[in-house]
Amino acid sequence: MKIGILCYPTFGGSGVVATELGKALAEKGHSVHFITYSQPVRLEHFTENVFYHEVSVADYPLFEYAPYETALTSKLVDVARFEKLDIVHVHYAIPHASVAYMAKQIMESQGLKLPFITTLHGTDITLVGKNESYNPVVTFAINHSDAVTSVSESLRKETYNNFKVDKEIEVIPNFIDLRRFNKQRRDHFRRAIAPNNERLIVHASNFRPVKRISDVLKVFNKVADKIPSKLLLIGDGPERNRVEKECREICNGEHVLFLGKIDVVEEILSICDLFVLPSETESFGLAALEAMACQVPVISTNTGGLPEVNVNGFCGYMSDVGDVDDMAKNAIHILEDDSRLLQFKKNALEHAKTFDIQRILPIYQALYEKVLAEQK
Ligand code: GMT
């Protein structure tokens, strides 16, 4: 198949899922065309059967906001016609689903077909999409997709609860490439960061308010009072400056490292003992799955799709949003005993294997084939 993929090219989970799925499809022999405003971060080097089409948005003094959606639609039509795309898969409904719908209409006006699948990822439904600025268009585009998937059952339910969607939504969970995400020997990193064999606690995210990173600091402080520990913060975003200031006020600065955006996050995860994800809302929590694949147990909230990813008492623990005392209690329980920590690490990998990309990819392929069969 010739597949077009629309996504955000950023560090966020939806862009990562879209890129890793595209690469895996290309490995199976499909031609995969990414169409977005910059090179997807996980598309670091040449990959056979993978093509990248950059969207250029022509500006004009009249525009307060350059119409990216219009430029993306035009680019998609151009790529669909000249690369003869069979299907388009869009990740994160805003603005990708309405772009694909418009492109489909343009192609049909020229006697050509362009079915599209919309994958809902999270805040396109739980936060941004609910806003009246977007809701009518998002609802229409979901209902006019040829197929719709969500990354968790929780997100599926939230979509039906918040949008007048009458379309069937298939739950296809996010996945992990265990060939990349596995515990790697980086003892020299560990010795450098934890010379006194401190426990290493880690958080990775896009540093947005929804991630509640202040709770990461609070949990860390409570743990560090009992167990010699250090905190690694991976990622960057709108909350970083505020969190750095808060950290200087409430944490021992020598014990907290802000690492910024890291391409090979698996190398850092491989030396860590606990991943903390105290999000306000989280439709899946791909970062938690990546940690588990590197044998890092997870302390998270029980919001959204996280109970479909984390298993209480097996590969980590879950607490109510904001309950930093409970999160710290559970973190200490895991970290205070070497054999218990080792068991949680083994369980984390065992659970991560249930999301192996090799198990999830065929589900997407079957959906593509089903949509194409319906076009005949
Ligand atoms: O929705 C966002 O805030 C961004 C989005 C992203 O692109 O990172 O995250 C969502 O998609 C990820 C991939 O499916 C999920 O793992 C995240 O849980 C989800 N974020 C939220 O629901 C807050």
Side-chain angles (χ1 to χ4, degrees):
M1 282 181 269
K2 293 182 177 176
I3 305 160
I5 294 184
L6 305 188
C7 66
Y8 285 106
T10 50
F11 271 85
S14 63
V16 167
V17 169
T19 308
E20 296 297 346
L21 176 61
K23 286 160 49 175
L25 288 162
E27 267 187 63
K28 298 292 183 189
H30 301 290
S31 290
V32 178
H33 295 262
F34 287 95
I35 307 159
T36 182
Y37 59 80
S38 73
Q39 182 100 357
V41 290
R42 286 283 178 91
L43 202 57
E44 309 100 328
H45 38 68
F46 171 75
T47 308
E48 194 178 351
N49 296 328
V50 172
F51 307 92
Y52 164 61
H53 306 267
E54 186 157 303
V55 178
S56 58
V57 186
D59 209 347
Y60 184 66
L62 176 66
F63 298 150
E64 179 70 17
Y65 306 100
Y68 175 64
E69 184 160 347
T70 304
L72 181 58
T73 304
S74 302
K75 189 68 176 177
L76 174 54
V77 169
D78 179 65
V79 173
R81 287 191 56 193
F82 294 98
E83 300 294 348
K84 297 182 175 50
L85 296 185
D86 297 305
I87 195 165
V88 176
H89 188 176
V90 308
H91 292 264
Y92 202 83
I94 304 169
H96 302 120
S98 46
V99 163
Y101 173 74
M102 175 60 87
K104 177 175 178 177
Q105 302 313 306
I106 296 170
M107 293 290 282
E108 285 184 355
S109 73
Q110 299 167 16
L112 301 166
K113 286 186 179 296
L114 189 65
F116 71 97
I117 295 167
T118 296
T119 290
L120 307 173
H121 278 273
T123 55
D124 44 353
I125 294 298
T126 61
L127 289 180
V128 183
K130 278 192 231 177
N131 188 302
E132 62 190 25
S133 306
Y134 302 109
N135 190 302
V137 173
V138 171
T139 303
F140 178 88
I142 290 172
N143 282 323
H144 289 77
S145 303
D146 290 279
V148 183
T149 78
S150 68
V151 297
S152 63
E153 178 57 34
S154 163
L155 187 60
R156 178 175 180 275
K157 287 185 180 134
E158 285 220 47
T159 305
Y160 286 132
N161 291 340
N162 293 307
F163 295 78
K164 294 185 179 65
V165 167
D166 46 32
K167 190 87 186 166
E168 175 52 35
I169 300 173
E170 181 177 354
V171 178
I172 304 181
N174 287 332
F175 44 80
I176 192 80
D177 185 346
L178 296 165
R179 296 170 301 179
R180 168 170 176 171
F181 282 89
N182 53 71
K183 186 177 179 65
Q184 301 170 20
R185 293 196 61 79
R186 292 292 183 275
D187 297 345
H188 53 295
F189 282 179
R190 177 124 201 171
R191 282 195 298 275
I193 295 173
N196 305 311
N197 200 26
E198 296 90 336
R199 297 297 197 203
L200 289 181
I201 297 170
V202 62
H203 168 83
S205 75
N206 49 26
F207 278 64
R208 292 183 198 155
V210 72
K211 303 298 181 180
R212 293 180 63 92
I213 301 178
S214 294
D215 285 357
V216 176
L217 301 184
K218 290 169 187 158
V219 170
F220 170 68
N221 274 349
K222 292 175 186 292
V223 173
D225 282 347
K226 304 284 187 199
I227 301 172
S229 309
K230 288 200 174 178
L231 174 62
L232 307 183
L233 292 167
I234 301 171
D236 206 324
E239 284 279 280
R240 173 159 178 183
N241 289 337
R242 186 195 65 74
V243 169
E244 284 197 284
K245 288 191 183 73
E246 182 180 2
C247 182
R248 290 173 195 142
E249 288 161 12
I250 70 168
C251 297
N252 177 332
E254 291 171 13
H255 296 166
V256 182
L257 284 71
F258 287 80
L259 302 180
K261 291 179 180 178
I262 295 179
D263 288 338
V264 282
V265 66
E266 63 272 21
E267 292 193 356
I268 298 297
L269 292 172
S270 290
I271 63 170
C272 290
D273 300 303
L274 195 66
F275 187 89
V276 179
L277 188 65
S279 306
E280 184 81 26
T281 176
E282 198 74 68
S283 67
F284 183 87
L286 184 63
L289 177 56
E290 292 177 342
M292 287 181 195
C294 295
Q295 298 189 36
V296 185
V298 173
I299 292 292
S300 74
T301 41
N302 52 23
T303 185
L306 283 167
E308 299 171 55
V309 180
N310 198 2
V311 181
N312 221 39
F314 180 70
C315 49
Y317 287 99
M318 289 180 284
S319 307
D320 293 341
V321 173
D323 192 344
V324 292
D325 290 328
D326 194 51
M327 287 183 236
K329 171 180 67 70
N330 293 331
I332 291 165
H333 177 70
I334 292 174
L335 295 173
E336 65 185 354
D337 178 276
D338 286 344
S339 59
R340 185 184 301 141
L341 174 57
L342 184 59
Q343 189 57 56
F344 269 90
K345 288 187 172 187
K346 288 177 179 172
N347 294 349
L349 174 57
E350 182 186 330
H351 188 55
K353 287 177 179 175
T354 63
F355 297 93
D356 188 336
I357 190 169
Q358 299 310 324
R359 298 176 64 165
I360 306 293
L361 183 65
I363 302 172
Y364 274 117
Q365 284 191 168
L367 180 61
Y368 294 167
E369 285 156 12
K370 175 172 171 280
V371 167
L372 288 181
E374 289 166 354
Q375 305 305 310
K376 292 186 172 72

